[in-house]
Amino acid sequence: MSKSIPVLIPSEIHSIVDKQYTQVHQLLGKRLALMFGYLIAQSAQSAVFSAFFRKNLLELGENPDLLEVEEDELLVILFGSKIATEGGKIPDELYEALTQRYSQEQVILLVSFATQLVAATMFNATLEVQVEASLQPYVLPEAFRTELCLV
């Protein structure tokens, strides 16, 4: 028996993530906010959110398969990825480097967005929410992982 649910319910869940994303976008800028979300989504193995962020990165002119990042961007991206893959266990040196660059309130915003994105991913997986038709062209095989290139 399929657990798939109407698109309206996930839209309500996704609106919570959207509100946080708006604040993250204001903090990090569009490019870094999209990369942050994309790597969290990939790390959490979210087809829905990976496709969304991939589409937006492509529209921005970025190559989501090989993201060129600067050292300060890498810090933020790795932070988000670790939240998704390590259950929130962030290496001390990574956390310290992040708090050198961002205020406590800003770090809380980044953590809040990352954890809500991971929670929404679990919600989608539990109820077998399918990727919307408009995002299907942006879905990648599960084994695919973006490469980061430090510039």
Side-chain angles (χ1 to χ4, degrees):
M1 181 168 117
S2 175
K3 296 177 215 121
S4 293
I5 58 172
V7 176
L8 295 176
I9 295 172
S11 294
E12 293 171 10
I13 299 299
H14 295 173
S15 72
I16 296 168
V17 174
D18 289 343
K19 289 176 187 175
Q20 286 284 309
Y21 174 75
T22 299
Q23 294 176 319
V24 168
H25 178 193
Q26 290 170 348
L27 172 64
L28 301 177
K30 186 173 188 172
R31 180 177 179 272
L32 183 51
L34 287 171
M35 291 190 299
F36 181 61
Y38 185 54
L39 271 291
I40 294 167
Q42 268 200 348
S43 297
Q45 301 177 346
S46 171
V48 172
F49 289 111
S50 290
F52 170 80
F53 286 112
R54 181 177 178 76
K55 173 184 181 284
N56 283 277
L57 281 165
L58 286 165
E59 289 174 353
L60 194 62
E62 295 292 330
N63 177 359
D65 299 339
L66 179 62
L67 291 172
E68 294 184 358
V69 298
E70 295 181 13
E71 194 169 337
D72 60 329
E73 294 172 324
L74 184 60
L75 174 70
V76 173
I77 292 167
L78 289 176
F79 181 70
S81 182
K82 287 288 185 189
I83 289 171
T85 59
E86 303 297 326
K89 292 178 179 70
I90 306 300
D92 291 341
E93 58 276 1
L94 178 58
Y95 186 79
E96 288 172 22
L98 195 75
T99 58
Q100 296 285 318
R101 180 158 169 77
Y102 296 98
S103 71
Q104 183 177 13
E105 292 80 16
Q106 292 170 327
V107 171
I108 290 169
L109 172 62
L110 295 174
V111 170
S112 178
F113 173 72
T115 55
Q116 287 181 17
L117 187 55
V118 171
T121 296
M122 292 176 68
F123 177 92
N124 289 345
T126 301
L127 294 176
E128 299 174 1
V129 174
Q130 301 300 306
V131 177
E132 295 175 22
S134 65
L135 294 176
Q136 281 295 332
Y138 304 98
V139 175
L140 294 171
E142 283 187 37
F144 179 83
R145 289 292 171 255
T146 294
E147 292 185 40
L148 299 175
C149 177
L150 193 59
V151 293

